[in-house]
């Protein structure tokens, strides 16, 4: 069985597990829908008073939020293991995976599917379809933007989780960094300048998770496409390097258990 088919089988198992308690599943998903509606209502009221902010209008922010919600949703449903990866490393749960032939990182990412992500998926698609001022001809570009944004988001989360190979306090720190990245991704790019802009394009790469896809969709060009593809490839390579360097330490017994 190939890597892709093995990964798909693991994801299907994770989704079935998340559906085991269906009441809890639907409550989590519905709770996220309510959370997203409340968040959108705040932005709607904001633009009712201020028509534009730094060149961004309601349709632009709707595009940004729709992309963010869908990226988080796809990450949670199909790569949900990223969320608690640092804790898994610190609990020593990699030992069992190291005895199996398939790639450790892929098995870690596929081991969980997050129920709340389905709520984000519903709201993200609805935002993109209704408020983002997109046409059918934009669908291939949207899918490309989502693929690249998801890659940067999951890759960054893997880099943060790989800190657990270095120090035992990384569990909450890794999740905090992922949450900060998501927070940075939820605001128009015009609010970032100076040091915050540098952070948004490096440590907490909101710029590459969602701002680069927004720029590509609003003004498709060779330059914006190159930024999109290069950022996805760069962060994916960084994640693979960080994880496998850490895994080498783990194999040598240099990682302290939590």
């Amino acid at each position: 069985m190939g890597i892709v088919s093995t990964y798909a089988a693991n994801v299907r198992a994770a989704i079935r597990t998340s559906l085991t308690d269906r009441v809890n599943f639907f409550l989590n998903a519905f709770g996220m829908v309510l959370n997203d509606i409340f968040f959108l209502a705040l932005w709607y009221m904001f633009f009712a008073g201020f028509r534009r902010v730094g060149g961004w209008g309601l349709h632009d922010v709707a595009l940004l939020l729709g992309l963010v919600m869908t990226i988080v949703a796809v990450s949670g449903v199909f790569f949900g293991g990223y969320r608690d990866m640092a804790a898994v490393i610190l609990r020593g749960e990699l030992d069992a995976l190291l005895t199996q032939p398939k790639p450790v990182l892929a098995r870690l990412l596929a081991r969980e599917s997050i129920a709340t992500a389905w709520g984000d998926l519903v709201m993200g698609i609805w935002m993109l379809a209704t408020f983002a001022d997109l046409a059918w001809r934009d669908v291939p570009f949207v899918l490309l933007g989502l693929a690249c944004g998801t890659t940067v988001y999951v890759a960054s989360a893997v880099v943060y989780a790989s800190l657990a190979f270095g120090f035992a306090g990384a569990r909450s720190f890794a999740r905090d960094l992922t949450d900060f990245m998501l927070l940075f991704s939820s605001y128009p790019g015009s609010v970032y300048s100076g040091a915050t802009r540098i952070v948004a394009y490096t440590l907490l790469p909101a710029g590459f998770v969602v701002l680069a896809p927004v720029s590509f969709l609003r003004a498709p060009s060779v330059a914006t496409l190159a930024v999109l593809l290069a950022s996805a490839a760069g962060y994916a390579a960084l994640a693979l390097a960080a994880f496998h360097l850490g895994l080498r330490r783990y194999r040598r017994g240099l990682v302290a258990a939590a």
Side-chain angles (χ1 to χ4, degrees), residues 97-226:
L97 298 181
L98 289 174
T99 64
Q100 301 173 17
K102 300 302 180 184
V104 176
L105 180 56
R107 297 184 74 90
L108 279 174
L109 290 174
R111 74 196 307 267
E112 184 180 357
S113 182
I114 303 172
T116 56
W118 291 97
D120 277 328
L121 186 62
V122 171
M123 291 301 297
I125 293 175
W126 178 69
M127 286 289 293
L128 293 174
T130 57
F131 287 106
D133 194 25
L134 295 171
W136 281 107
R137 65 177 179 276
D138 297 320
V139 170
F141 294 160
V142 172
L143 294 177
L144 180 60
L146 288 172
C148 292
T150 302
T151 300
V152 176
Y153 180 75
V154 174
S156 300
V158 170
V159 172
Y160 303 150
S162 297
L163 294 174
F165 289 117
F167 63 99
R171 176 178 181 174
S172 59
F173 186 57
R175 293 192 64 156
D176 288 344
L177 287 174
T178 303
D179 290 341
F180 281 135
M181 176 173 58
L182 180 58
L183 182 65
F184 265 55
S185 301
S186 303
Y187 290 92
S190 57
V191 306
Y192 301 119
S193 62
T196 58
R197 188 171 182 82
I198 293 174
V199 171
Y201 280 90
T202 53
L203 178 61
L204 304 171
F208 296 121
V209 171
V210 70
L211 297 181
V214 169
S215 298
F216 173 66
L217 285 166
R218 288 302 187 225
S221 67
V222 174
T224 53
L225 176 62

